[in-house]
Structures are given as structure tokens and as C-alpha cells.
Amino acid sequence: MNKSYVLLRMYDKLRDGAGIKLAEWCEEYKLSVATFRRYIALLRTCCKETCGRELVYDPVGAVYRLRTAAEETA
């Protein structure tokens, strides 16, 4: 898979309110864990700069997701 395509798919999922699970994405798109983490780092910066939202890791669901507005004000 093309890096740009995977990053856009990840960004779309996050903006739609869905989470991103490391194992699922690595398996589906044949990514190494290191590559997945690099993509997450890029998305974390992008989301903060473009929409002012923080990309966080939720250990309960083992998922990366955008922090909700309610969480940001608390």
C-alpha cells in the first residue's frame, strides 16, 4: 500500500470518530509496528495543527483516537 493512501485512510477514520488499532492496521496494510508508530506521530502533529485536536492512546480499548471536546475541557 502507498504511504499517502494509508495515512489518508487513518485520518478519515479519526475524523469520523473511529479509533485505530495497531494490530488491525498493521495486518490489513502490511505495516511494521515502527511504520505504524511513525504514521501515528505524523497524524498526531497534523491533527493538532489542522483541527486543534489531540490524538491520544486509549489503553482500555487499545486504540488511538481523537480526544473529544468534552475531554479537552475537563
Side-chain angles (χ1 to χ4, degrees), residues 3 7 9 14-15 20 25 33 43 48 62 64 68:
K3 175 182 179 178
L7 281 167
R9 293 279 299 133
L14 291 168
R15 294 290 301 224
I20 296 175
W25 282 77
V33 172
L43 288 168
K48 191 67 172 174
Y64 289 89
T68 63

Side-chain angles (χ1 to χ4, degrees), residues 27-72:
E27 183 179 334
E28 183 173 347
Y29 293 103
K30 308 297 183 239
L31 303 173
S32 69
V33 172
T35 297
F36 177 87
R37 294 193 193 283
R38 280 194 300 274
Y39 288 5
I40 288 294
L42 285 168
L43 288 168
R44 184 172 279 130
T45 301
C46 178
C47 290
K48 191 67 172 174
E49 290 178 0
T50 60
C51 59
R53 302 210 25 222
E54 187 178 359
L55 178 60
V56 295
Y57 178 72
D58 179 6
V60 174
V63 65
Y64 289 89
R65 62 177 177 75
L66 288 176
R67 186 181 302 265
T68 63
E71 290 174 323
E72 290 178 1

